[in-house]
Amino acid sequence: MSRSITYRDAINEAILQEMKRDERVFVYGIDVADHKRIFGSTRGLVETFGPERCFSTPLSEDALTGMALGAAVNGLRPILVHMRVDFMLLGMNQIANMISSFRYGSGGLVNVPLVIRAVIGRGWGQSYQHSKTMHASFAHIPGIKVVMPATPYDAKGMLISAIRDDNPVIFIEHRWLYDAYGEVPEEPYTEPLSQAKVLRSGKDITIVATSWMNVEAVKAAEVLSKAGISAEVIDARSISPFDETVIVDSVKKTGHCIVIDDDWIHCGFGAEVAARVSEQCFGNLKSPVERMGYAATPCPCARPLENLFYPNAVSLIKKIENKFDLEPIDLTGEDFYSYEKKFRGPF
Amino acid sequence: MSRSITYRDAINEAILQEMKRDERVFVYGIDVADHKRIFGSTRGLVETFGPERCFSTPLSEDALTGMALGAAVNGLRPILVHMRVDFMLLGMNQIANMISSFRYGSGGLVNVPLVIRAVIGRGWGQSYQHSKTMHASFAHIPGIKVVMPATPYDAKGMLISAIRDDNPVIFIEHRWLYDAYGEVPEEPYTEPLSQAKVLRSGKDITIVATSWMNVEAVKAAEVLSKAGISAEVIDARSISPFDETVIVDSVKKTGHCIVIDDDWIHCGFGAEVAARVSEQCFGNLKSPVERMGYAATPCPCARPLENLFYPNAVSLIKKIENKFDLEPIDLTGEDFYSYEKKFRGPF
Amino acid sequence: MSKIDRKELNLHLYKHLYLVRNAEEAIRKHYHEDEMKTPVHLSIGSEAISVGVCQAMQPQDQALATFRNHAVYLTKTGETDRFFAELYGKSTGVAKGKSGSMHLSAMDNGMICATAIVASGIPVAVGAALANKMQKNGKVVAVFFGDGATEEGVFWESLNIACLMKLPILFVCEDNELAVHAPNEVRKGYRSLTAIARQYRCHVFSDDTTDVEAIYHLTQEALYQMAETEMPCLIDLKYYRYLEHVGVNEDFNAGYRSRADYERWLKQDPVIIQREKLLSLGCSESEIRELERLIDGQIESSLAYAKSAPFPEPNQLHEDVYA
Amino acid sequence: MSKIDRKELNLHLYKHLYLVRNAEEAIRKHYHEDEMKTPVHLSIGSEAISVGVCQAMQPQDQALATFRNHAVYLTKTGETDRFFAELYGKSTGVAKGKSGSMHLSAMDNGMICATAIVASGIPVAVGAALANKMQKNGKVVAVFFGDGATEEGVFWESLNIACLMKLPILFVCEDNELAVHAPNEVRKGYRSLTAIARQYRCHVFSDDTTDVEAIYHLTQEALYQMAETEMPCLIDLKYYRYLEHVGVNEDFNAGYRSRADYERWLKQDPVIIQREKLLSLGCSESEIRELERLIDGQIESSLAYAKSAPFPEPNQLHEDVYA
Ligand SMILES: Cc1ncc(C[n+]2csc(CCOP(=O)(O)OP(=O)(O)O)c2C)c(N)n1
Ligand SMILES: Cc1ncc(C[n+]2csc(CCOP(=O)(O)OP(=O)(O)O)c2C)c(N)n1
Ligand SMILES: [Mg+2]
Ligand SMILES: [Mg+2]
């Protein structure tokens, strides 16, 4: 009955099933149909649905983004794929000025059902032009939905929801998650696009995480439990529209909150979480909401600096040790995610 | 000795004086040299410095943005002007991926002294494609400075600082401020690019505002003073790097804080202010930090809706009345800013 | 084409020209009242382009325009009630007053949208054409843009993709050789747009006529060739913008262009020459007057309707953002 | 040119070709050790382009390249210490290990930068050329980009602006007719890039030679014409990418291209034919070997230096963000 597959395969399955169900769905973008198939996530689409419904394109992100809008308002349900969110920024004008407001500007008469998938996350020392996330900047614009699933289950369920949704949805996938395994039902199902999700229950502190940072947070929570700290990990996952209820309820219970966001801190999504929690848990908070995220620098290439650039389970553990004035936990023997073990170049 | 000029003239004077002082400075962009001169702000430049140092360009924002970088690293100090921040989004890739990280990627060897001026603010029912602000999205990216002066004094002083600064500076000007008068010294002077500024002292509540919202906030503070509420108004003005000291000191004194940002609320700059204040004034806050900003919709055209879209002195007063459980203040006879009186079409 | 047919065709085209011209003249007349609180970019002088092109297409074919979109909107829809109401920001407007003058959309009439960000509608039109092709519905998309729009990179990306994918799309450059006040000399690093476009896998036409019938036939030829070859087409059509870039006034005193040019073009005013043609084709003055009176009446009544219509309710602010 | 001169020139060019080729072969040799933690896009097969173009320019002239930038970097700087150190992420690297392989910059040697966002360096080069023109310093900028980059709108915006403003810039398309694995057929809506470029106010050249001397002379001719006419120039140079798009391996089994093409091009390998030319010009085998040994030594020593160099200190993370 239960079946464990990777995040990559979960995405792939969601697309395959939706394309089968609904012939209006098609997939396009730079290199979606080459033999590498966007890290494997667009596997089988050309074979199953032909080059009309899955095709590689010229290197023209700006036009490709506008095309999604045109195809959507004319009755199709496009999925545009960017191998890196950094490339999506070439289509920022279309996202911010055109896609987000089309429905409003039609007086609500025309829906804009489109999905833009974009990959984020560390690779093999890619440094500063292949390492952005920017979900806060997209989420800032009303009219767009922004989601970041962190588990294979959510990847499939939320992608199906996104494809079926009648609004533009930006769907952000972390590259390291691609190899993560998790239980995923074979049949199609949907997950809500605007609800946070408790990944791990706890009572002493609420950790709100996004994307890969959930993996770090869960690991940190496991380690902390050995020191008697019971951490609740909440995957924010729906960046916009953002419903803080789950998070607020948790913090009202725990009294402490740390946000660990897979992005820069300044004017990032973490600020939004901190602002809402601080407002709505006013009086319940036993310590100020703290934020973690990328260092306030462009992403460096050199591994030792890159390791400092990104927050992780260890830096999260340290932060929480500080908060609770704990003795440093002995981390020897702990198996943290290591690049070297799981991820190789060249890309 | 004291001289009152408009914000428009303050900007114009800053550029004129800097171009005189430093022949590396030049100004370019769509329509900067036509007879309207960007609402008058680029007046006299062609006449004084010739078409080599002030020229209109093709409609190619993406390339124009990259050109600023190329000219800057080759020893000049370009000022690129966008009549609307919405158009600047066509250059988002250059800003986020190229300009912000050039210095870092050169190992600190190459400076990037450039200024991008962009106009924001209401016009004559422009609706959703000419009404964005997006300072949070620019400020989110390390390596860029983002400022929003709200007075003629700051417009001149901060623009001179921006031009002399060896980093890329995004300089955001609200259109309605163009007609605001204020005291501005004739000689060149600089104002810091990373410091908030107290516009009005008070002791009961801290209002943090950006751009035009400072005008609304000061007006609200005046009205509130009649009801015995003494509001301190702080112009955040430096969005990145952002130094919260002035704000935190104020809130520690007042115990209450409202942020009124000239932008959307979700994942906006207001969240950053609220997050920092909530963290650093933890224990000093007598009520949660509240946020005001644009409605979570694309900007509508119809005037009654547009009036609801934007926060203003009246909605701010109401918010503060609520916070302090005040009787509604009688606003008859108060002279609030009215479009009809000061601003006409067609643009 | 027989003489009768030609007369009918020209009457039909004139009706549209007259509607467009006079709807905009009505805007000019009422704009100073400051009730139309939206920036207007008038099409006066260019009417033959929108009318000629759109009328040569099938009603179910689609159009996408710029901030200077009134002419395309009016000729595609033929209606003025929702049009004026939108300019007045009223709840009976095309977009309930939310979009204003610059972004008129009427999907049911094949008017996909208009956009106030230069060139940003072009890739949207390409996507719309792709959808039409995938759905094999036979619809053609005409995307209108100014000469200034061809300086935006996305125009070239879009042209390339349309040619590559053999999409049923007509690129129509409404070429007034001005972008706001900037002439070609400060904007173009090449001699001729059409010479470049000819290097792409598409058909290319150009003309500087103001004769709506000529543009109608040119478009029909373009559509025929597109259908035959499954290739897109680019048409560059010159015209003269009579009024200021935005707003309802003349601006010959601004110094960036001369009144003499205007007067030369005025001799070929698309509405006037079409009216003269009708007379020469045997229409009577009174027949024409009758038609004009009808349209005048339509405009008057729409204006009155718009003025008296209610503004959107406050709750409308938050409606229509998400489906 | 006398025979002596020609021999010297070709030796000079060979030296650069050899350096580029063997620096990259060294990367291939050591990459599997997993110490160079940076994605590498190798130039192997294209060396004649970067070397021919850059060596035809003056040392103070400037270049700007793509992620596939090693060849341009190495021929502009001639150095390998900071180069390898950067690939190893060491503090002695060009950018103290911050940039990695894809964004090498060496301003002092006229290497402005390289960029991993396709086409994004092109307008930067235009701005650099504008600065040179305004400063009347006589410098020319060569901007290198792949054929895929010409699909990005910003390429066309940049070409237009450079032609309009008569900037001293050389657009060099390193044309391998591939973008990652996508051939021209899925990317181009036109027949020929150069045919389009000829419609702009610039000079246009193209060639599919792998003879570095030919490219050198072609570039000199281009520079001469640019200086004479104050117009930019575009050169389209074909080559064959020997290895996978990113990484150090061959990928003929991937299915998107055939080994036969490779073998045909290999017969004209730029390094091999240049070596043969040297012999035919009267260089002795031992003279050439000596030169090669010197370069081999340089590479070996730089590699060792890079491997033994320290990583940047933690505080380096926050340095260099702002001036
Ligand atoms: C991307 C963008 N840049 C700048 C502007 C400001 N602007 C509005 S209209 C216009 C000129 C457009 O010229 P053209 O495309 O020829 O159209 P025309 O006004 O002549 O009909 C400009 C620069 C804009 N709306 N969008
Ligand atoms: C804007 C952008 N889109 C997509 C990519 C991913 N990408 C990296 S290289 C490449 C192909 C580039 O082809 P070309 O310009 O011909 O250079 P080549 O690799 O052939 O040297 C692509 C699509 C990118 N780096 N930047
Ligand atoms: Mg024009
Ligand atoms: Mg290529």
Side-chain angles (χ1 to χ4, degrees):
Chain A
M1 167 74 242
S2 98
R3 181 188 63 144
S4 185
I5 63 173
T6 63
Y7 188 94
R8 162 189 294 110
D9 289 341
I11 289 173
N12 186 243
E13 190 168 275
I15 302 177
L16 272 162
Q17 290 179 343
E18 284 306 292
M19 285 180 77
K20 230 166 246 165
R21 197 183 69 87
D22 185 346
E23 62 175 24
R24 297 169 301 175
V25 180
F26 71 101
V27 175
Y28 71 113
I30 299 170
D31 298 331
V32 298
D34 76 3
H35 61 279
K36 298 231 169 157
R37 304 285 164 95
I38 312 289
F39 309 119
S41 67
T42 56
R43 237 178 26 233
L45 304 184
V46 199
E47 291 74 4
T48 316
F49 306 105
E52 251 217 344
R53 291 181 61 200
C54 178
F55 53 90
S56 293
T57 65
L59 282 54
S60 307
E61 287 86 354
D62 191 0
L64 295 174
T65 311
M67 284 170 68
L69 175 57
V73 300
N74 254 359
L76 298 185
R77 305 183 86 84
I79 304 176
L80 170 59
V81 188
H82 295 290
M83 194 103 72
R84 279 275 159 198
V85 90
D86 309 67
F87 312 156
M88 189 166 131
L89 296 179
L90 279 81
M92 189 67 178
N93 169 55
Q94 286 290 335
I95 293 170
N97 286 326
M98 299 288 294
I99 291 174
S100 66
S101 48
F102 195 102
R103 187 173 197 283
Y104 200 72
S106 77
L109 294 176
V110 184
N111 288 341
V112 182
L114 64 87
V115 175
I116 305 182
R117 287 180 50 204
V119 180
I120 59 164
R122 286 173 80 169
W124 189 245
Q126 268 117 332
S127 76
Y128 45 81
Q129 293 182 335
H130 285 62
S131 51
K132 289 178 195 63
T133 306
M134 306 287 290
H135 46 294
S137 301
F138 306 124
H140 182 56
I141 306 159
I144 291 177
K145 298 189 177 182
V146 181
V147 297
M148 302 174 87
T151 64
Y153 184 89
D154 281 355
K156 178 169 174 182
M158 293 178 88
L159 185 49
I160 290 179
S161 294
I163 295 170
R164 295 187 190 173
D165 198 278
D166 278 331
N167 300 288
V169 181
I170 293 177
F171 192 91
I172 300 179
E173 309 156 11
H174 195 290
R175 222 174 132 177
W176 280 9
L177 289 169
Y178 268 55
D179 294 316
Y181 276 88
E183 285 195 13
V184 175
E186 236 156 299
E187 66 282 5
Y189 60 92
T190 59
E191 269 289 292
L193 295 179
S194 52
Q195 220 173 69
K197 184 176 182 175
V198 179
L199 286 194
R200 186 184 193 283
S201 300
K203 56 182 186 31
D204 297 327
I205 181 168
T206 305
I207 304 172
V208 181
T210 54
S211 201
W212 174 261
M213 290 304 147
N214 282 289
V215 178
E216 305 285 353
V218 168
K219 177 71 198 176
E222 282 164 12
V223 172
L224 286 160
S225 73
K226 300 182 188 167
I229 297 289
S230 152
E232 181 143 304
V233 177
I234 301 183
D235 179 6
R237 97 182 164 158
S238 303
I239 312 303
S240 180
F242 171 53
D243 178 355
E244 73 272 21
T245 322
V246 175
I247 295 167
V248 167
D249 288 350
S250 169
V251 179
K252 283 194 173 149
K253 178 180 70 179
T254 63
H256 298 282
C257 180
I258 287 192
V259 194
I260 181 163
D261 190 21
D262 217 321
D263 199 359
W264 287 303
I265 296 174
H266 188 59
C267 294
F269 174 67
E272 182 64 37
V273 175
R276 294 210 199 185
V277 168
S278 298
E279 182 177 353
Q280 295 187 38
C281 302
F282 194 78
N284 302 108
L285 275 170
K286 297 175 204 146
S287 70
V289 181
E290 288 182 82
R291 291 184 281 159
M292 297 177 71
Y294 302 165
T297 75
C299 178
C301 172
R303 184 64 56 88
L305 299 185
E306 202 190 24
N307 285 339
L308 291 171
F309 177 83
Y310 291 103
N312 57 33
V314 176
S315 56
L316 179 56
I317 292 166
K318 293 254 162 328
K319 195 93 170 176
I320 295 175
E321 284 171 354
N322 267 346
K323 191 184 267 294
F324 291 113
D325 257 331
L326 304 178
E327 291 291 297
I329 301 171
D330 178 12
L331 300 178
T332 49
E334 289 296 343
D335 187 28
F336 294 103
Y337 184 92
S338 158
Y339 239 75
E340 267 55 47
K341 268 179 278 170
K342 318 224 175 131
F343 202 93
R344 284 272 157 93
F347 214 64
Chain B
M1 174 57 253
S2 99
R3 182 188 63 142
S4 185
I5 63 173
T6 62
Y7 189 93
R8 164 189 292 108
D9 289 341
I11 288 173
N12 186 243
E13 192 167 275
I15 302 177
L16 272 163
Q17 290 179 344
E18 284 306 291
M19 285 179 78
K20 231 166 242 161
R21 198 184 68 88
D22 185 345
E23 62 174 25
R24 297 169 302 176
V25 180
F26 71 100
V27 175
Y28 71 112
I30 298 169
D31 297 330
V32 298
D34 77 4
H35 61 280
K36 300 231 169 158
R37 304 285 163 95
I38 313 289
F39 309 119
S41 68
T42 56
R43 238 175 28 230
L45 304 183
V46 199
E47 291 74 4
T48 316
F49 306 105
E52 250 217 343
R53 291 180 61 201
C54 177
F55 53 89
S56 293
T57 65
L59 281 58
S60 307
E61 286 86 354
D62 191 1
L64 295 174
T65 311
M67 284 171 67
L69 175 57
V73 300
N74 254 358
L76 299 184
R77 306 183 86 84
I79 304 177
L80 169 60
V81 188
H82 295 289
M83 194 102 75
R84 281 273 158 200
V85 90
D86 309 67
F87 311 156
M88 190 166 131
L89 296 180
L90 279 81
M92 188 67 178
N93 169 53
Q94 287 289 335
I95 294 170
N97 286 326
M98 298 289 295
I99 291 175
S100 66
S101 48
F102 195 101
R103 187 174 195 282
Y104 200 73
S106 77
L109 294 176
V110 184
N111 287 340
V112 182
L114 64 88
V115 176
I116 305 181
R117 289 180 48 203
V119 180
I120 60 163
R122 285 174 80 169
W124 188 245
Q126 268 117 333
S127 75
Y128 45 83
Q129 294 182 334
H130 285 61
S131 51
K132 289 176 197 65
T133 305
M134 306 287 289
H135 46 294
S137 301
F138 306 124
H140 181 57
I141 306 159
I144 291 176
K145 297 189 177 182
V146 181
V147 298
M148 303 175 85
T151 64
Y153 183 89
D154 281 355
K156 179 169 173 182
M158 293 178 87
L159 186 49
I160 290 180
S161 294
I163 296 170
R164 294 186 190 172
D165 199 278
D166 278 331
N167 299 289
V169 181
I170 292 177
F171 192 92
I172 298 178
E173 310 158 11
H174 195 288
R175 220 172 133 182
W176 282 8
L177 290 170
Y178 268 53
D179 294 315
Y181 276 87
E183 286 195 12
V184 176
E186 236 156 298
E187 67 282 3
Y189 59 93
T190 58
E191 270 286 293
L193 295 179
S194 55
Q195 218 174 70
K197 185 177 182 175
V198 178
L199 286 193
R200 186 182 193 284
S201 299
K203 54 183 185 35
D204 296 329
I205 180 168
T206 305
I207 304 173
V208 181
T210 54
S211 201
W212 173 262
M213 289 305 146
N214 282 287
V215 178
E216 304 286 354
V218 168
K219 176 73 198 174
E222 282 163 11
V223 173
L224 286 161
S225 73
K226 300 182 188 165
I229 297 289
S230 154
E232 182 143 304
V233 178
I234 301 183
D235 179 7
R237 94 179 168 165
S238 302
I239 312 303
S240 179
F242 171 53
D243 178 356
E244 73 273 21
T245 321
V246 175
I247 295 167
V248 167
D249 287 350
S250 169
V251 180
K252 283 193 173 151
K253 179 178 72 180
T254 63
H256 297 282
C257 180
I258 286 191
V259 194
I260 181 162
D261 190 22
D262 217 320
D263 199 358
W264 286 303
I265 296 175
H266 187 60
C267 294
F269 174 67
E272 183 63 38
V273 176
R276 294 210 201 187
V277 168
S278 299
E279 182 177 353
Q280 295 187 38
C281 302
F282 193 77
N284 302 110
L285 275 170
K286 297 176 204 147
S287 70
V289 181
E290 288 183 82
R291 290 184 282 160
M292 297 177 70
Y294 303 165
T297 75
C299 178
C301 172
R303 184 64 56 89
L305 299 186
E306 203 191 23
N307 285 339
L308 292 172
F309 177 82
Y310 290 103
N312 57 32
V314 176
S315 55
L316 179 55
I317 292 166
K318 294 253 161 327
K319 196 92 171 174
I320 294 174
E321 285 171 355
N322 268 346
K323 191 184 267 294
F324 291 113
D325 255 331
L326 303 177
E327 291 291 296
I329 301 171
D330 179 13
L331 299 179
T332 49
E334 288 297 343
D335 187 28
F336 294 102
Y337 184 94
S338 157
Y339 240 76
E340 266 55 47
K341 269 180 278 174
K342 317 220 175 136
F343 202 96
R344 284 269 158 92
F347 213 63
Chain C
M1 193 185 291
S2 77
K3 201 147 179 220
I4 299 292
D5 283 352
R6 195 175 161 217
K7 187 177 139 187
E8 238 163 66
L9 169 66
N10 277 291
L11 258 171
H12 173 77
L13 293 173
Y14 181 68
K15 210 174 69 186
H16 280 274
L17 285 184
Y18 188 87
L19 174 70
V20 173
R21 170 67 56 93
N22 287 278
E24 293 211 310
E25 286 294 351
I27 295 171
R28 293 190 70 192
K29 196 168 127 206
H30 292 281
Y31 201 70
H32 73 276
E33 296 161 6
D34 280 345
E35 287 180 40
M36 282 183 244
K37 297 182 202 294
T38 179
V40 289
H41 301 74
L42 300 187
S43 314
I44 295 181
S46 79
E47 297 89 343
I49 299 176
S50 349
V51 173
V53 170
C54 290
Q55 295 307 319
M57 300 172 77
Q58 300 301 312
Q60 68 274 23
D61 284 339
Q62 297 180 304
L64 202 148
T66 72
F67 45 89
R68 203 177 299 291
N69 62 53
H70 299 170
V72 175
Y73 177 89
L74 292 166
T75 195
K76 273 306 274 183
T77 67
E79 78 86 30
T80 42
D81 276 359
R82 289 176 294 146
F83 173 76
F84 281 114
E86 189 62 35
L87 301 193
Y88 279 93
K90 297 302 180 69
S91 63
T92 53
V94 215
K96 311 177 193 164
K98 288 177 179 176
S99 82
S101 155
M102 299 198 290
H103 329 76
L104 300 174
S105 159
M107 262 294 179
D108 287 348
N109 300 99
M111 173 82 183
I112 297 178
C113 73
T115 156
I117 306 287
V118 170
S120 291
I122 302 176
V124 180
V126 171
L130 173 65
N132 289 334
K133 181 171 175 164
M134 286 172 81
Q135 292 168 111
K136 300 192 177 64
N137 60 22
K139 291 184 195 173
V140 174
V141 177
V143 56
F144 293 83
F145 51 88
D147 48 305
T150 65
E151 289 144 35
E152 298 285 3
V154 77
F155 166 72
W156 298 100
E157 294 183 358
S158 302
L159 180 64
N160 182 55
I161 292 174
C163 293
L164 170 73
M165 301 189 76
K166 296 173 158 286
L167 301 182
I169 181 169
L170 192 60
F171 294 91
V172 184
C173 183
E174 299 184 279
D175 189 350
N176 57 17
E177 299 188 333
L178 277 179
V180 190
H181 315 111
N184 279 347
E185 300 85 70
V186 306
R187 300 187 289 117
K188 306 289 180 190
Y190 54 78
R191 281 157 291 263
S192 149
L193 175 68
T194 50
I196 301 178
R198 281 204 184 87
Q199 305 303 323
Y200 284 76
R201 296 206 176 87
C202 64
H203 302 284
V204 177
F205 296 87
S206 66
D207 211 322
D208 60 2
T209 183
T210 55
D211 179 355
V212 67
E213 187 185 8
I215 292 175
Y216 176 90
H217 288 305
L218 185 155
T219 306
Q220 284 207 319
E221 175 60 25
L223 292 169
Y224 173 77
Q225 292 193 17
M226 286 168 65
E228 285 293 294
T229 58
E230 286 202 359
M231 290 209 281
C233 179
L234 181 141
I235 313 185
D236 183 70
L237 294 166
K238 301 263 190 270
Y239 81 98
Y240 191 81
R241 194 188 76 214
Y242 289 10
L243 304 175
E244 56 189 342
H245 170 69
V246 54
V248 299
N249 301 308
E250 292 186 349
D251 70 347
F252 301 107
N253 296 333
Y256 70 95
R257 58 178 186 167
S258 74
R259 182 179 286 277
D261 280 346
Y262 166 54
E263 275 157 7
R264 210 168 45 245
W265 279 87
L266 195 55
K267 294 207 184 87
Q268 295 299 317
D269 179 83
V271 186
I272 297 175
I273 64 171
Q274 184 66 4
R275 196 179 200 280
E276 278 158 10
K277 192 197 292 165
L278 289 184
L279 292 170
S280 79
L281 285 173
C283 295
S284 71
E285 178 68 29
S286 66
E287 189 181 352
I288 300 174
R289 284 255 173 86
E290 179 50 28
L291 177 157
E292 292 173 345
R293 243 193 311 268
L294 267 173
I295 296 171
D296 292 344
Q298 174 188 343
I299 292 172
E300 277 315 309
S301 110
S302 291
L303 264 173
Y305 175 70
K307 285 188 175 221
S308 67
F311 280 111
E313 295 295 321
N315 73 328
Q316 269 301 320
L317 174 63
H318 289 278
E319 299 285 308
D320 305 327
V321 182
Y322 291 99
Chain D
M1 190 184 294
S2 78
K3 201 152 177 212
I4 300 291
D5 283 354
R6 195 174 162 219
K7 187 177 140 185
E8 239 162 65
L9 169 66
N10 277 292
L11 259 172
H12 172 78
L13 294 173
Y14 181 68
K15 210 173 68 185
H16 280 274
L17 284 184
Y18 188 87
L19 173 70
V20 172
R21 170 66 56 92
N22 287 279
E24 293 210 312
E25 287 294 351
I27 295 171
R28 292 191 70 193
K29 198 169 126 202
H30 292 281
Y31 201 71
H32 74 275
E33 296 161 7
D34 280 344
E35 288 180 38
M36 282 184 247
K37 297 181 201 294
T38 179
V40 289
H41 301 74
L42 300 187
S43 313
I44 296 181
S46 79
E47 297 89 342
I49 299 175
S50 348
V51 172
V53 170
C54 291
Q55 295 306 318
M57 300 173 77
Q58 300 300 313
Q60 68 272 22
D61 285 338
Q62 297 180 303
L64 203 148
T66 71
F67 44 91
R68 203 177 299 290
N69 62 55
H70 299 169
V72 176
Y73 177 89
L74 292 166
T75 194
K76 273 305 273 183
T77 67
E79 78 86 32
T80 43
D81 276 358
R82 288 177 295 146
F83 172 77
F84 281 113
E86 189 62 35
L87 300 194
Y88 279 93
K90 297 301 179 70
S91 62
T92 53
V94 217
K96 309 177 194 164
K98 288 175 179 176
S99 81
S101 156
M102 300 197 289
H103 330 75
L104 300 174
S105 159
M107 262 292 180
D108 287 348
N109 301 98
M111 173 81 185
I112 296 178
C113 72
T115 156
I117 307 286
V118 169
S120 291
I122 302 175
V124 180
V126 171
L130 172 65
N132 289 333
K133 181 172 174 164
M134 286 172 80
Q135 292 168 109
K136 299 191 179 59
N137 59 22
K139 290 184 195 172
V140 174
V141 178
V143 56
F144 293 82
F145 51 87
D147 49 305
T150 65
E151 289 143 37
E152 298 285 1
V154 76
F155 165 73
W156 299 99
E157 295 184 357
S158 302
L159 180 64
N160 181 54
I161 292 174
C163 293
L164 170 72
M165 300 189 78
K166 293 173 161 289
L167 300 182
I169 181 170
L170 191 60
F171 293 90
V172 184
C173 182
E174 298 184 280
D175 189 349
N176 56 17
E177 300 189 332
L178 277 180
V180 191
H181 314 112
N184 279 347
E185 300 85 71
V186 305
R187 298 187 289 118
K188 305 289 180 188
Y190 54 78
R191 280 158 291 264
S192 149
L193 175 67
T194 50
I196 301 178
R198 282 204 182 84
Q199 305 304 323
Y200 285 75
R201 294 204 178 86
C202 64
H203 303 284
V204 177
F205 296 87
S206 65
D207 211 323
D208 60 2
T209 183
T210 55
D211 178 355
V212 67
E213 187 185 9
I215 293 174
Y216 175 91
H217 288 302
L218 186 155
T219 306
Q220 284 208 318
E221 175 61 25
L223 293 168
Y224 173 78
Q225 293 193 16
M226 286 169 64
E228 286 293 294
T229 58
E230 287 201 357
M231 291 208 284
C233 179
L234 181 141
I235 312 185
D236 183 70
L237 294 166
K238 302 261 191 277
Y239 81 98
Y240 190 82
R241 194 188 77 215
Y242 289 11
L243 303 176
E244 57 189 339
H245 169 70
V246 55
V248 298
N249 301 308
E250 293 187 348
D251 69 348
F252 300 108
N253 297 332
Y256 70 96
R257 59 178 185 169
S258 73
R259 183 179 285 275
D261 281 345
Y262 166 54
E263 275 157 7
R264 212 168 39 248
W265 279 87
L266 195 56
K267 293 207 181 86
Q268 296 299 317
D269 179 81
V271 186
I272 296 175
I273 64 172
Q274 184 66 3
R275 197 178 199 280
E276 278 159 11
K277 193 197 292 163
L278 289 184
L279 291 170
S280 78
L281 285 172
C283 294
S284 71
E285 178 68 29
S286 66
E287 190 182 351
I288 301 175
R289 283 253 174 89
E290 179 51 28
L291 178 157
E292 292 172 346
R293 242 192 312 268
L294 267 172
I295 296 172
D296 293 344
Q298 174 188 342
I299 292 172
E300 275 315 308
S301 111
S302 292
L303 264 173
Y305 174 71
K307 286 190 173 214
S308 67
F311 280 111
E313 293 296 319
N315 74 326
Q316 268 302 319
L317 174 63
H318 288 278
E319 297 286 308
D320 306 326
V321 183
Y322 292 100

